[in-house]
Amino acid sequence: NSHTRSDTTIDITVFAIADLDQDGNEEYLFVGALKVIHVDLNDDGSLEGEGIELNIAFSKDWNDDGTPEEALMMRMADMKLDLDGDSNVNTHVFHVQVVYLQDQDADGNLDRVRAAQYGGSEWDNNSDGIVDSKEVMWLGVGIRDTDFDGTQDRVTMALGFDSTTDSNGDGNAEKQTSTFLAS
């Protein structure tokens, strides 16, 4: 602990399968991967860069027939940059993507699909520790077979966008735009 590290990378990978009744059909499957990167350009202990990426997949076979009835996949990434080294993040970029699938009546047809994405960028234009400008967007989609006949009966969507620009960092935005659409 007598010196600082300039860069570190952490990788964690997890894989698990469970066949609880030992019949050869896996009831649970989980896969996960996490990567964290820290960059200290001038070895002063203050991070000039940080990146995190997380990926997860999960499935569950409720009735133990060998076909999963439920599944979830998620991807998340986050990056922070402080290139002037003053410990205030100047640029922050992030996103999350999720997909969820479900066969509610276990007939082999997907009855519910949900997907969502959220992400954007934030900027501290004058490095005072306050987010001055940002662009954030989200999207959601849902598909359902409400009567379980194999035909998708309902589709819903939502889309949103929010943008704020305060170029000089004085706390008064020069431009702000927000949009939300849904069906």
Side-chain angles (χ1 to χ4, degrees):
N1 293 327
S2 62
H3 66 283
T4 59
R5 296 182 192 168
S6 58
D7 300 326
T8 59
T9 300
I10 301 167
D11 281 308
I12 299 174
T13 303
V14 179
F15 186 80
I17 298 174
D19 180 6
L20 301 176
D21 58 4
Q22 300 179 357
D23 65 350
N25 293 328
E26 293 85 14
E27 288 86 26
Y28 296 93
L29 168 68
F30 177 82
V31 179
L34 172 68
K35 184 171 200 160
V36 180
I37 299 172
H38 292 151
V39 178
D40 181 0
L41 295 174
N42 51 16
D43 294 333
D44 64 353
S46 177
L47 295 178
E48 281 78 32
E50 177 183 54
I52 300 172
E53 183 176 343
L54 174 66
N55 296 291
I56 293 175
F58 171 79
S59 69
K60 183 177 178 181
D61 182 3
W62 294 342
N63 62 1
D64 197 24
D65 66 351
T67 303
E69 282 77 41
E70 188 172 17
L72 172 76
M73 293 172 280
M74 183 181 80
R75 180 174 182 242
M76 186 214 67
D78 189 83
M79 180 188 70
K80 296 177 182 174
L81 298 174
D82 173 23
L83 297 180
D84 58 5
D86 66 354
S87 297
N88 290 324
V89 174
N90 302 104
T91 302
H92 180 207
V93 180
F94 54 92
H95 72 266
V96 176
Q97 298 166 321
V98 179
V99 176
Y100 174 76
L101 310 168
Q102 190 176 32
D103 177 6
Q104 292 177 293
D105 59 354
D107 66 352
N109 295 319
L110 290 176
D111 303 310
R112 179 179 287 176
V113 177
R114 294 179 181 167
Q117 177 173 300
Y118 174 79
S121 301
E122 299 174 329
W123 298 275
D124 177 2
N125 297 326
N126 57 359
S127 198
D128 63 355
I130 299 171
V131 173
D132 301 308
S133 301
K134 68 178 179 175
E135 291 182 353
V136 179
M137 185 174 156
W138 57 94
L139 171 65
V141 177
I143 301 171
R144 285 194 67 186
D145 177 5
T146 55
D147 56 5
F148 309 117
D149 66 354
T151 302
Q152 307 305 325
D153 304 315
R154 183 183 300 165
V155 176
T156 55
M157 293 181 66
L159 172 69
F161 178 80
D162 185 34
S163 174
T164 302
T165 304
D166 180 6
S167 299
N168 58 7
D170 66 355
N172 297 314
E174 288 85 33
K175 180 180 176 186
Q176 186 167 5
T177 305
S178 295
T179 303
F180 181 78
L181 304 167
S183 69

PDB file of all heavy atoms in Angstrom, residues 148-179:
ATOM      1  N   PHE A 148     -53.360 -16.675 -24.901  1.00  0.00           N
ATOM      2  CA  PHE A 148     -52.495 -17.859 -25.066  1.00  0.00           C
ATOM      3  C   PHE A 148     -52.846 -18.711 -26.282  1.00  0.00           C
ATOM      4  O   PHE A 148     -52.751 -19.933 -26.249  1.00  0.00           O
ATOM      5  CB  PHE A 148     -52.508 -18.732 -23.804  1.00  0.00           C
ATOM      6  CG  PHE A 148     -52.238 -17.976 -22.547  1.00  0.00           C
ATOM      7  CD1 PHE A 148     -53.190 -17.902 -21.553  1.00  0.00           C
ATOM      8  CD2 PHE A 148     -51.028 -17.333 -22.358  1.00  0.00           C
ATOM      9  CE1 PHE A 148     -52.946 -17.191 -20.381  1.00  0.00           C
ATOM     10  CE2 PHE A 148     -50.771 -16.624 -21.189  1.00  0.00           C
ATOM     11  CZ  PHE A 148     -51.731 -16.553 -20.204  1.00  0.00           C
ATOM     12  N   ASP A 149     -53.245 -18.047 -27.390  1.00  0.00           N
ATOM     13  CA  ASP A 149     -53.578 -18.800 -28.599  1.00  0.00           C
ATOM     14  C   ASP A 149     -52.438 -18.818 -29.618  1.00  0.00           C
ATOM     15  O   ASP A 149     -52.599 -19.319 -30.725  1.00  0.00           O
ATOM     16  CB  ASP A 149     -54.844 -18.242 -29.251  1.00  0.00           C
ATOM     17  CG  ASP A 149     -54.664 -16.830 -29.781  1.00  0.00           C
ATOM     18  OD1 ASP A 149     -53.592 -16.211 -29.545  1.00  0.00           O
ATOM     19  OD2 ASP A 149     -55.594 -16.333 -30.441  1.00  0.00           O
ATOM     20  N   GLY A 150     -51.284 -18.279 -29.265  1.00  0.00           N
ATOM     21  CA  GLY A 150     -50.131 -18.269 -30.169  1.00  0.00           C
ATOM     22  C   GLY A 150     -50.033 -17.020 -31.027  1.00  0.00           C
ATOM     23  O   GLY A 150     -49.085 -16.860 -31.787  1.00  0.00           O
ATOM     24  N   THR A 151     -51.036 -16.120 -30.941  1.00  0.00           N
ATOM     25  CA  THR A 151     -51.030 -14.876 -31.705  1.00  0.00           C
ATOM     26  C   THR A 151     -50.833 -13.704 -30.748  1.00  0.00           C
ATOM     27  O   THR A 151     -51.519 -13.623 -29.723  1.00  0.00           O
ATOM     28  CB  THR A 151     -52.365 -14.700 -32.464  1.00  0.00           C
ATOM     29  OG1 THR A 151     -52.560 -15.830 -33.312  1.00  0.00           O
ATOM     30  CG2 THR A 151     -52.357 -13.437 -33.299  1.00  0.00           C
ATOM     31  N   GLN A 152     -49.933 -12.825 -31.096  1.00  0.00           N
ATOM     32  CA  GLN A 152     -49.676 -11.658 -30.243  1.00  0.00           C
ATOM     33  C   GLN A 152     -50.872 -10.713 -30.312  1.00  0.00           C
ATOM     34  O   GLN A 152     -51.261 -10.262 -31.377  1.00  0.00           O
ATOM     35  CB  GLN A 152     -48.401 -10.937 -30.705  1.00  0.00           C
ATOM     36  CG  GLN A 152     -47.183 -11.842 -30.809  1.00  0.00           C
ATOM     37  CD  GLN A 152     -46.875 -12.606 -29.538  1.00  0.00           C
ATOM     38  OE1 GLN A 152     -47.063 -12.104 -28.447  1.00  0.00           O
ATOM     39  NE2 GLN A 152     -46.410 -13.842 -29.688  1.00  0.00           N
ATOM     40  N   ASP A 153     -51.492 -10.412 -29.163  1.00  0.00           N
ATOM     41  CA  ASP A 153     -52.702  -9.602 -29.098  1.00  0.00           C
ATOM     42  C   ASP A 153     -52.442  -8.140 -28.769  1.00  0.00           C
ATOM     43  O   ASP A 153     -53.221  -7.275 -29.126  1.00  0.00           O
ATOM     44  CB  ASP A 153     -53.645 -10.157 -28.017  1.00  0.00           C
ATOM     45  CG  ASP A 153     -53.981 -11.604 -28.255  1.00  0.00           C
ATOM     46  OD1 ASP A 153     -54.282 -11.964 -29.401  1.00  0.00           O
ATOM     47  OD2 ASP A 153     -53.912 -12.374 -27.289  1.00  0.00           O
ATOM     48  N   ARG A 154     -51.366  -7.853 -28.054  1.00  0.00           N
ATOM     49  CA  ARG A 154     -51.146  -6.495 -27.588  1.00  0.00           C
ATOM     50  C   ARG A 154     -49.677  -6.121 -27.763  1.00  0.00           C
ATOM     51  O   ARG A 154     -48.788  -6.859 -27.371  1.00  0.00           O
ATOM     52  CB  ARG A 154     -51.519  -6.401 -26.115  1.00  0.00           C
ATOM     53  CG  ARG A 154     -51.391  -4.996 -25.565  1.00  0.00           C
ATOM     54  CD  ARG A 154     -51.699  -4.922 -24.090  1.00  0.00           C
ATOM     55  NE  ARG A 154     -53.059  -5.371 -23.830  1.00  0.00           N
ATOM     56  CZ  ARG A 154     -53.510  -5.691 -22.633  1.00  0.00           C
ATOM     57  NH1 ARG A 154     -52.711  -5.612 -21.598  1.00  0.00           N
ATOM     58  NH2 ARG A 154     -54.742  -6.085 -22.463  1.00  0.00           N
ATOM     59  N   VAL A 155     -49.463  -4.955 -28.357  1.00  0.00           N
ATOM     60  CA  VAL A 155     -48.119  -4.400 -28.489  1.00  0.00           C
ATOM     61  C   VAL A 155     -48.143  -2.999 -27.896  1.00  0.00           C
ATOM     62  O   VAL A 155     -48.990  -2.187 -28.250  1.00  0.00           O
ATOM     63  CB  VAL A 155     -47.657  -4.339 -29.967  1.00  0.00           C
ATOM     64  CG1 VAL A 155     -46.295  -3.677 -30.075  1.00  0.00           C
ATOM     65  CG2 VAL A 155     -47.638  -5.727 -30.586  1.00  0.00           C
ATOM     66  N   THR A 156     -47.262  -2.729 -26.971  1.00  0.00           N
ATOM     67  CA  THR A 156     -47.151  -1.400 -26.383  1.00  0.00           C
ATOM     68  C   THR A 156     -45.718  -0.909 -26.550  1.00  0.00           C
ATOM     69  O   THR A 156     -44.781  -1.700 -26.538  1.00  0.00           O
ATOM     70  CB  THR A 156     -47.504  -1.406 -24.882  1.00  0.00           C
ATOM     71  OG1 THR A 156     -46.681  -2.359 -24.214  1.00  0.00           O
ATOM     72  CG2 THR A 156     -48.959  -1.768 -24.672  1.00  0.00           C
ATOM     73  N   MET A 157     -45.593   0.379 -26.740  1.00  0.00           N
ATOM     74  CA  MET A 157     -44.272   0.982 -26.897  1.00  0.00           C
ATOM     75  C   MET A 157     -44.248   2.323 -26.194  1.00  0.00           C
ATOM     76  O   MET A 157     -45.261   3.005 -26.105  1.00  0.00           O
ATOM     77  CB  MET A 157     -43.937   1.200 -28.378  1.00  0.00           C
ATOM     78  CG  MET A 157     -43.745  -0.059 -29.174  1.00  0.00           C
ATOM     79  SD  MET A 157     -43.336   0.294 -30.889  1.00  0.00           S
ATOM     80  CE  MET A 157     -41.735   1.062 -30.695  1.00  0.00           C
ATOM     81  N   ALA A 158     -43.070   2.697 -25.738  1.00  0.00           N
ATOM     82  CA  ALA A 158     -42.861   4.025 -25.166  1.00  0.00           C
ATOM     83  C   ALA A 158     -41.456   4.484 -25.534  1.00  0.00           C
ATOM     84  O   ALA A 158     -40.519   3.700 -25.557  1.00  0.00           O
ATOM     85  CB  ALA A 158     -43.018   4.000 -23.651  1.00  0.00           C
ATOM     86  N   LEU A 159     -41.354   5.753 -25.864  1.00  0.00           N
ATOM     87  CA  LEU A 159     -40.077   6.346 -26.266  1.00  0.00           C
ATOM     88  C   LEU A 159     -39.976   7.709 -25.612  1.00  0.00           C
ATOM     89  O   LEU A 159     -40.931   8.477 -25.621  1.00  0.00           O
ATOM     90  CB  LEU A 159     -40.013   6.484 -27.794  1.00  0.00           C
ATOM     91  CG  LEU A 159     -38.844   7.244 -28.388  1.00  0.00           C
ATOM     92  CD1 LEU A 159     -37.556   6.469 -28.202  1.00  0.00           C
ATOM     93  CD2 LEU A 159     -39.090   7.504 -29.864  1.00  0.00           C
ATOM     94  N   GLY A 160     -38.827   7.992 -25.031  1.00  0.00           N
ATOM     95  CA  GLY A 160     -38.638   9.285 -24.399  1.00  0.00           C
ATOM     96  C   GLY A 160     -37.242   9.813 -24.624  1.00  0.00           C
ATOM     97  O   GLY A 160     -36.295   9.049 -24.822  1.00  0.00           O
ATOM     98  N   PHE A 161     -37.125  11.133 -24.613  1.00  0.00           N
ATOM     99  CA  PHE A 161     -35.841  11.795 -24.837  1.00  0.00           C
ATOM    100  C   PHE A 161     -35.818  13.071 -24.015  1.00  0.00           C
ATOM    101  O   PHE A 161     -36.800  13.803 -23.967  1.00  0.00           O
ATOM    102  CB  PHE A 161     -35.681  12.116 -26.329  1.00  0.00           C
ATOM    103  CG  PHE A 161     -34.418  12.849 -26.660  1.00  0.00           C
ATOM    104  CD1 PHE A 161     -33.223  12.161 -26.778  1.00  0.00           C
ATOM    105  CD2 PHE A 161     -34.413  14.219 -26.857  1.00  0.00           C
ATOM    106  CE1 PHE A 161     -32.051  12.830 -27.089  1.00  0.00           C
ATOM    107  CE2 PHE A 161     -33.256  14.902 -27.166  1.00  0.00           C
ATOM    108  CZ  PHE A 161     -32.068  14.200 -27.285  1.00  0.00           C
ATOM    109  N   ASP A 162     -34.705  13.315 -23.343  1.00  0.00           N
ATOM    110  CA  ASP A 162     -34.555  14.531 -22.554  1.00  0.00           C
ATOM    111  C   ASP A 162     -33.163  15.088 -22.812  1.00  0.00           C
ATOM    112  O   ASP A 162     -32.170  14.374 -22.694  1.00  0.00           O
ATOM    113  CB  ASP A 162     -34.741  14.236 -21.066  1.00  0.00           C
ATOM    114  CG  ASP A 162     -34.718  15.495 -20.221  1.00  0.00           C
ATOM    115  OD1 ASP A 162     -35.194  16.544 -20.698  1.00  0.00           O
ATOM    116  OD2 ASP A 162     -34.237  15.425 -19.081  1.00  0.00           O
ATOM    117  N   SER A 163     -33.089  16.342 -23.180  1.00  0.00           N
ATOM    118  CA  SER A 163     -31.812  16.976 -23.483  1.00  0.00           C
ATOM    119  C   SER A 163     -31.755  18.347 -22.816  1.00  0.00           C
ATOM    120  O   SER A 163     -32.690  19.134 -22.918  1.00  0.00           O
ATOM    121  CB  SER A 163     -31.649  17.127 -25.002  1.00  0.00           C
ATOM    122  OG  SER A 163     -30.487  17.847 -25.311  1.00  0.00           O
ATOM    123  N   THR A 164     -30.653  18.606 -22.115  1.00  0.00           N
ATOM    124  CA  THR A 164     -30.421  19.899 -21.485  1.00  0.00           C
ATOM    125  C   THR A 164     -29.025  20.357 -21.864  1.00  0.00           C
ATOM    126  O   THR A 164     -28.076  19.593 -21.748  1.00  0.00           O
ATOM    127  CB  THR A 164     -30.526  19.801 -19.955  1.00  0.00           C
ATOM    128  OG1 THR A 164     -31.813  19.306 -19.620  1.00  0.00           O
ATOM    129  CG2 THR A 164     -30.314  21.153 -19.305  1.00  0.00           C
ATOM    130  N   THR A 165     -28.905  21.608 -22.320  1.00  0.00           N
ATOM    131  CA  THR A 165     -27.596  22.161 -22.686  1.00  0.00           C
ATOM    132  C   THR A 165     -27.350  23.436 -21.903  1.00  0.00           C
ATOM    133  O   THR A 165     -28.100  24.396 -22.006  1.00  0.00           O
ATOM    134  CB  THR A 165     -27.527  22.458 -24.200  1.00  0.00           C
ATOM    135  OG1 THR A 165     -27.822  21.262 -24.916  1.00  0.00           O
ATOM    136  CG2 THR A 165     -26.153  22.953 -24.594  1.00  0.00           C
ATOM    137  N   ASP A 166     -26.292  23.411 -21.086  1.00  0.00           N
ATOM    138  CA  ASP A 166     -25.810  24.587 -20.368  1.00  0.00           C
ATOM    139  C   ASP A 166     -24.318  24.677 -20.679  1.00  0.00           C
ATOM    140  O   ASP A 166     -23.482  24.220 -19.917  1.00  0.00           O
ATOM    141  CB  ASP A 166     -26.050  24.447 -18.867  1.00  0.00           C
ATOM    142  CG  ASP A 166     -25.557  25.650 -18.074  1.00  0.00           C
ATOM    143  OD1 ASP A 166     -25.135  26.646 -18.699  1.00  0.00           O
ATOM    144  OD2 ASP A 166     -25.571  25.575 -16.841  1.00  0.00           O
ATOM    145  N   SER A 167     -23.992  25.247 -21.817  1.00  0.00           N
ATOM    146  CA  SER A 167     -22.622  25.230 -22.341  1.00  0.00           C
ATOM    147  C   SER A 167     -21.614  25.914 -21.432  1.00  0.00           C
ATOM    148  O   SER A 167     -20.477  25.463 -21.300  1.00  0.00           O
ATOM    149  CB  SER A 167     -22.573  25.891 -23.721  1.00  0.00           C
ATOM    150  OG  SER A 167     -23.385  25.180 -24.610  1.00  0.00           O
ATOM    151  N   ASN A 168     -22.004  27.015 -20.781  1.00  0.00           N
ATOM    152  CA  ASN A 168     -21.053  27.752 -19.950  1.00  0.00           C
ATOM    153  C   ASN A 168     -21.100  27.342 -18.480  1.00  0.00           C
ATOM    154  O   ASN A 168     -20.330  27.850 -17.669  1.00  0.00           O
ATOM    155  CB  ASN A 168     -21.265  29.264 -20.076  1.00  0.00           C
ATOM    156  CG  ASN A 168     -22.673  29.681 -19.701  1.00  0.00           C
ATOM    157  OD1 ASN A 168     -23.462  28.877 -19.221  1.00  0.00           O
ATOM    158  ND2 ASN A 168     -22.986  30.943 -19.945  1.00  0.00           N
ATOM    159  N   GLY A 169     -22.011  26.427 -18.108  1.00  0.00           N
ATOM    160  CA  GLY A 169     -22.059  25.911 -16.742  1.00  0.00           C
ATOM    161  C   GLY A 169     -22.501  26.913 -15.707  1.00  0.00           C
ATOM    162  O   GLY A 169     -22.177  26.769 -14.522  1.00  0.00           O
ATOM    163  N   ASP A 170     -23.293  27.915 -16.088  1.00  0.00           N
ATOM    164  CA  ASP A 170     -23.723  28.936 -15.131  1.00  0.00           C
ATOM    165  C   ASP A 170     -25.020  28.569 -14.403  1.00  0.00           C
ATOM    166  O   ASP A 170     -25.522  29.342 -13.595  1.00  0.00           O
ATOM    167  CB  ASP A 170     -23.879  30.288 -15.813  1.00  0.00           C
ATOM    168  CG  ASP A 170     -25.007  30.321 -16.834  1.00  0.00           C
ATOM    169  OD1 ASP A 170     -25.625  29.265 -17.103  1.00  0.00           O
ATOM    170  OD2 ASP A 170     -25.268  31.419 -17.381  1.00  0.00           O
ATOM    171  N   GLY A 171     -25.574  27.386 -14.691  1.00  0.00           N
ATOM    172  CA  GLY A 171     -26.812  26.956 -14.053  1.00  0.00           C
ATOM    173  C   GLY A 171     -28.064  27.333 -14.803  1.00  0.00           C
ATOM    174  O   GLY A 171     -29.162  26.941 -14.430  1.00  0.00           O
ATOM    175  N   ASN A 172     -27.936  28.111 -15.880  1.00  0.00           N
ATOM    176  CA  ASN A 172     -29.074  28.493 -16.713  1.00  0.00           C
ATOM    177  C   ASN A 172     -28.938  27.805 -18.064  1.00  0.00           C
ATOM    178  O   ASN A 172     -28.051  28.140 -18.846  1.00  0.00           O
ATOM    179  CB  ASN A 172     -29.117  30.018 -16.906  1.00  0.00           C
ATOM    180  CG  ASN A 172     -29.326  30.740 -15.595  1.00  0.00           C
ATOM    181  OD1 ASN A 172     -30.179  30.348 -14.804  1.00  0.00           O
ATOM    182  ND2 ASN A 172     -28.536  31.772 -15.357  1.00  0.00           N
ATOM    183  N   ALA A 173     -29.821  26.854 -18.323  1.00  0.00           N
ATOM    184  CA  ALA A 173     -29.741  26.091 -19.577  1.00  0.00           C
ATOM    185  C   ALA A 173     -30.064  26.979 -20.771  1.00  0.00           C
ATOM    186  O   ALA A 173     -31.022  27.750 -20.737  1.00  0.00           O
ATOM    187  CB  ALA A 173     -30.701  24.910 -19.525  1.00  0.00           C
ATOM    188  N   GLU A 174     -29.220  26.892 -21.799  1.00  0.00           N
ATOM    189  CA  GLU A 174     -29.492  27.611 -23.040  1.00  0.00           C
ATOM    190  C   GLU A 174     -30.542  26.895 -23.881  1.00  0.00           C
ATOM    191  O   GLU A 174     -31.240  27.510 -24.675  1.00  0.00           O
ATOM    192  CB  GLU A 174     -28.202  27.756 -23.875  1.00  0.00           C
ATOM    193  CG  GLU A 174     -27.191  28.740 -23.333  1.00  0.00           C
ATOM    194  CD  GLU A 174     -26.277  28.120 -22.291  1.00  0.00           C
ATOM    195  OE1 GLU A 174     -25.952  26.928 -22.390  1.00  0.00           O
ATOM    196  OE2 GLU A 174     -25.904  28.847 -21.358  1.00  0.00           O
ATOM    197  N   LYS A 175     -30.659  25.566 -23.679  1.00  0.00           N
ATOM    198  CA  LYS A 175     -31.617  24.794 -24.474  1.00  0.00           C
ATOM    199  C   LYS A 175     -32.067  23.591 -23.653  1.00  0.00           C
ATOM    200  O   LYS A 175     -31.272  22.964 -22.976  1.00  0.00           O
ATOM    201  CB  LYS A 175     -30.952  24.333 -25.771  1.00  0.00           C
ATOM    202  CG  LYS A 175     -31.840  23.519 -26.665  1.00  0.00           C
ATOM    203  CD  LYS A 175     -31.087  23.120 -27.931  1.00  0.00           C
ATOM    204  CE  LYS A 175     -31.944  22.230 -28.792  1.00  0.00           C
ATOM    205  NZ  LYS A 175     -31.215  21.715 -29.951  1.00  0.00           N
ATOM    206  N   GLN A 176     -33.377  23.286 -23.735  1.00  0.00           N
ATOM    207  CA  GLN A 176     -33.899  22.100 -23.079  1.00  0.00           C
ATOM    208  C   GLN A 176     -35.019  21.522 -23.937  1.00  0.00           C
ATOM    209  O   GLN A 176     -35.898  22.252 -24.401  1.00  0.00           O
ATOM    210  CB  GLN A 176     -34.435  22.422 -21.689  1.00  0.00           C
ATOM    211  CG  GLN A 176     -34.857  21.193 -20.934  1.00  0.00           C
ATOM    212  CD  GLN A 176     -35.091  21.466 -19.472  1.00  0.00           C
ATOM    213  OE1 GLN A 176     -35.027  22.600 -19.006  1.00  0.00           O
ATOM    214  NE2 GLN A 176     -35.359  20.427 -18.713  1.00  0.00           N
ATOM    215  N   THR A 177     -34.954  20.224 -24.182  1.00  0.00           N
ATOM    216  CA  THR A 177     -35.945  19.539 -24.995  1.00  0.00           C
ATOM    217  C   THR A 177     -36.342  18.253 -24.305  1.00  0.00           C
ATOM    218  O   THR A 177     -35.483  17.496 -23.851  1.00  0.00           O
ATOM    219  CB  THR A 177     -35.363  19.193 -26.390  1.00  0.00           C
ATOM    220  OG1 THR A 177     -34.869  20.377 -26.999  1.00  0.00           O
ATOM    221  CG2 THR A 177     -36.413  18.569 -27.283  1.00  0.00           C
ATOM    222  N   SER A 178     -37.648  17.990 -24.222  1.00  0.00           N
ATOM    223  CA  SER A 178     -38.150  16.746 -23.662  1.00  0.00           C
ATOM    224  C   SER A 178     -39.255  16.218 -24.560  1.00  0.00           C
ATOM    225  O   SER A 178     -40.096  16.987 -25.019  1.00  0.00           O
ATOM    226  CB  SER A 178     -38.708  16.959 -22.245  1.00  0.00           C
ATOM    227  OG  SER A 178     -37.700  17.336 -21.371  1.00  0.00           O
ATOM    228  N   THR A 179     -39.217  14.916 -24.810  1.00  0.00           N
ATOM    229  CA  THR A 179     -40.214  14.285 -25.657  1.00  0.00           C
ATOM    230  C   THR A 179     -40.611  12.952 -25.046  1.00  0.00           C
ATOM    231  O   THR A 179     -39.765  12.232 -24.521  1.00  0.00           O
ATOM    232  CB  THR A 179     -39.644  14.018 -27.076  1.00  0.00           C
ATOM    233  OG1 THR A 179     -39.201  15.257 -27.634  1.00  0.00           O
ATOM    234  CG2 THR A 179     -40.663  13.399 -27.994  1.00  0.00           C
TER     235      THR A 179
END
